[in-house]
Amino acid sequence: MHLDDMPEFWPTQQTVPNERWVFISRSNAYQCNEISQVCLQMHSDNNEMLKVLILYRKEELSPKNLQNRPETVPTPVGDCDMIRLGKGNLMKMKALLVFVVLLVTVCRGLDNGLARTPPMGFNSWERFRCVTDCDQFPDTCISEKLYKRIADLMVSEGFVDAGYEYVNIDDCWMAKTRDENDRLIGDPERFPSGIKALADYMHSKGLKLGIYEDFGTETCGGFPGSEFYLKTDAQTFADWGIDLLKLDGCYSFTHDMPVGYPTMEHFLNETGRPMLYSCSWPAYFYPKIPDYDKISTSCNIWRNYADVQDSWDSVLGIMNFYGKNSGNFSAKGGPGHFNDPDMIIVGNYGLSYDQQRVQMAIWAIIAAPLFFSTDLATIKPESKALLLNKNVIAVSQDSLGIEGELAFSLNDVQIWIRRVKPEGSIAFAIVYTGTGGTPKLIQIQCASLGMIKKGVPYSVMEVFDGKHMGLYKATDMFNATVNPTGVFFGRATILG
Amino acid sequence: MHLDDMPEFWPTQQTVPNERWVFISRSNAYQCNEISQVCLQMHSDNNEMLKVLILYRKEELSPKNLQNRPETVPTPVGDCDMIRLGKGNLMKMKALLVFVVLLVTVCRGLDNGLARTPPMGFNSWERFRCVTDCDQFPDTCISEKLYKRIADLMVSEGFVDAGYEYVNIDDCWMAKTRDENDRLIGDPERFPSGIKALADYMHSKGLKLGIYEDFGTETCGGFPGSEFYLKTDAQTFADWGIDLLKLDGCYSFTHDMPVGYPTMEHFLNETGRPMLYSCSWPAYFYPKIPDYDKISTSCNIWRNYADVQDSWDSVLGIMNFYGKNSGNFSAKGGPGHFNDPDMIIVGNYGLSYDQQRVQMAIWAIIAAPLFFSTDLATIKPESKALLLNKNVIAVSQDSLGIEGELAFSLNDVQIWIRRVKPEGSIAFAIVYTGTGGTPKLIQIQCASLGMIKKGVPYSVMEVFDGKHMGLYKATDMFNATVNPTGVFFGRATILG
């Protein structure tokens, strides 16, 4: 029996409690011996159940077990294939669940009108992590005070004017349990006014509020996950006035993601509130290559790779991952949907000034979301200037929405190129990854930097300083002296 | 026959040219079929020959072969053991050379009155390398202009007042060939006034001039090495008014170093001019542990490990090497003779501000020479302030001259401790190597930071800012919030 041929609704047997159940996802069959808390949740909402395909064996349903469950469970049968049931303890099968509705959702694609250019804003995670001790760290713990403080600085320091609009709460904002209506609530001590009040505050400042949840049973920080509450949570976020959802993937199975993440997309769309949808889905597949076609039609932005850490090694590691472009994911980016190499760490502890410039240049070249994660109260002026640099932001926000790529690398030199407006123009970055101490003179033909139209002059600008470098043609040589772990960031506007 | 029993002087056969020769060092026997250029050099100075024990097989004497010669040659027979001759092509042995004089030199120990505290100054290598193209890089190529420029800034910007006194020329300063008297000369285009004039210039500014040579046949950059010209070169440096010699170890055999480096010490002393003697000797033994007793009696400072590069990975790698303290080398340091973990790279491209603080703190704790390698014309104010920080320098220059050590490390936290004046006081560094983005609260008992005298109060100061942190006793807890890849640098002065 193919999935498409299976009944569309939950069988009536669902209403019989305390019996032996079998729940079936598109890839596995599991059973419950009795209606556990989780089973009841599923049972209580037929429609939701039809779309939520992530179910587990009974013995895995305790929170403790769910934390430690292995990533490998009984052999999947593949997308849209026959459902095969296990043996032995599956004898008392009560229900077969099929979810044609979901397939329709997946194929509909993302259409929320958001992220026409890479989104810009603040995210708390890289810098502020999961600090919940507000006695010890009153200014930096995850609390409404932190987000209001950052928001105020984003307004007063020119970040809003520069285009940064999202204030993203990351993990650890929640109370440890849901309320009596199964709805999430903010930690009452750290978010005494509630998340809706915080969203209202952001909106009053011309900002938007993003929030974090997790596709699994818990967030990475151990707070309640959305796995069996997707619809409820989507509605909660909409009710609060949330503008962005980052859905992480801890405590879940990767084989459930190709169905589950689109399911959340469906619920978000159902609320009627445009919420930018940030998926961690492909990152959990690494080093396997996920289905980027599916991802790019369900998510506005998606994390492909490991979290950025506060180090040059981390930034360079991400660059090298994007440089390889396994699965050609950069081709899936465009207005409305972009790959996300993770936060901008400019202004923190681990990068030199030159390394901060590299991150800004490459993130702009690859049309990455620009979510900085730093404390604007203590940021150094030169780092702040990088974040606010209008020419860098102009490359990032170029309306063609084309994701740039690593054109080539030779020894310790990398050339990155992005096509920008007006058509035929390019932005390019020459990165020198050497640590030999002295700047390197790099001499390269302009055609290798993307100025490929023969005989036509390009006007080249150094992006950070806006300095005009002169007119160049494809066959001319371009000379750049690049600092160790530094970059020359250029923009070549075609004049022909 | 033991070395001590062998004749002290070169046999008379030396004067017969174009014959087959065998030259013997303490560890190997080699021959020449004819008097080559190198053989003639050795032949021309009996006394020097008695002390220069580094000779090679004839087939290795061409410059090309010397560049590529392997590190392993016929089996050494060990220090002070019987000399064994090879077979076959050693049949026409003409001479046996023994070098009792040298052994006396080795045992005499270093006594030039220098480096009573770790030397401070500038060295060009890490930042300026071997750039010899002064057309392309007029301000930063290795030239008298560069050293004068840096010297002038050291005076005007307060570096001389802060204690920095050496201006060290590193590699690539020479003409490609020696002059008609076999003496080294500076590259005539880049050092048109000559090195003596540059030394005079430094002295007129209250500075000292250091210079670089190599123990092997070539410098690492391919300029003439000292191997068979040690005495000549020592005298040349003295004649020029040089104040420091860094003797590198490219293009030489490690098994010759335990004799050859002390030989150069002997020649330096013979000139009568105090020249601080910086040996790269042990660095070429890594990962083997060299004879630190011998090194510490022959050299004022000595490089133990790989060159520092412009990266946090490099600085952390050096710290970890020193932390292990293999062979207990830190015990060999003291007034007159210090381990050298290489240059301070503060002010360059690869380190964040916090990482720069770590290098300053740890280099001060381990009583390292403070040779910065940066361009004082372009250094950022916060980096300059680190180099000039009086409290950091006070720890570095503490007259007890005790080298601090890594007391212990736990996960991503390292505790480094140095005993300083007044007796019983300590300087300590708490390094957090994590890259997790948010500062770490470290709570540690004061005894673990070196405040071990029970019941006696210590006055603790944060070194960089000079902030008084309070009074602490051994059993008190000390709390420090340390940035990622950052440091808390404290000084605890005993009050009891």
Side-chain angles (χ1 to χ4, degrees), chain A residues 124-165:
Chain A
S124 56
W125 183 255
E126 190 282 324
R127 170 62 183 81
F128 298 98
R129 302 283 163 161
C130 189
V131 175
T132 55
D133 182 352
C134 294
D135 295 331
Q136 193 76 48
F137 300 100
D139 293 329
T140 56
C141 67
I142 300 302
S143 66
E144 61 184 44
K145 186 179 163 188
L146 170 66
Y147 297 99
K148 284 182 174 178
R149 181 168 72 77
I150 296 292
D152 292 349
L153 287 164
M154 285 174 69
V155 174
S156 64
E157 301 295 306
F159 284 78
V160 175
D161 291 342
Y164 295 93
E165 59 178 347

Side-chain angles (χ1 to χ4, degrees), chain B residues 240-260:
Chain B
W240 286 345
I242 293 294
D243 303 292
L244 176 152
L245 170 65
K246 173 180 175 180
L247 193 63
D248 208 340
C250 280
Y251 301 116
S252 70
F253 292 107
T254 53
H255 62 242
D256 292 323
M257 291 180 177
V259 179

Side-chain angles (χ1 to χ4, degrees), chain A residues 270-381:
Chain A
E270 265 194 348
T271 69
R273 180 174 181 84
M275 286 183 267
L276 194 151
Y277 187 29
S278 165
C279 303
S280 299
W281 170 6
Y284 284 86
F285 272 75
Y286 182 82
K288 292 179 184 169
I289 297 170
D291 183 347
Y292 278 114
D293 283 328
K294 191 174 278 186
I295 290 163
S296 61
T297 55
S298 284
C299 307
N300 290 114
I301 59 176
W302 53 87
R303 286 280 313 284
N304 312 57
Y305 188 61
D307 286 4
V308 68
Q309 305 295 318
D310 196 4
S311 74
W312 170 243
D313 283 352
S314 172
V315 170
L316 189 59
I318 292 171
M319 286 169 55
N320 288 336
F321 170 83
Y322 273 73
K324 285 179 187 166
N325 194 19
S326 303
N328 196 24
F329 55 74
S330 71
K332 304 302 185 299
H337 38 97
F338 293 99
N339 292 276
D340 179 5
D342 211 7
M343 286 159 271
I344 298 282
I345 65 171
V346 166
N348 293 328
Y349 308 104
L351 296 191
S352 72
Y353 177 67
D354 278 281
Q355 293 160 358
Q356 292 176 46
R357 283 165 49 107
V358 173
Q359 196 190 23
M360 289 301 291
I362 300 304
W363 265 235
I365 288 274
I366 61 178
L370 296 183
F371 292 121
F372 65 83
S373 188
T374 189
D375 193 337
L376 296 184
T378 57
I379 190 171
K380 291 202 175 69

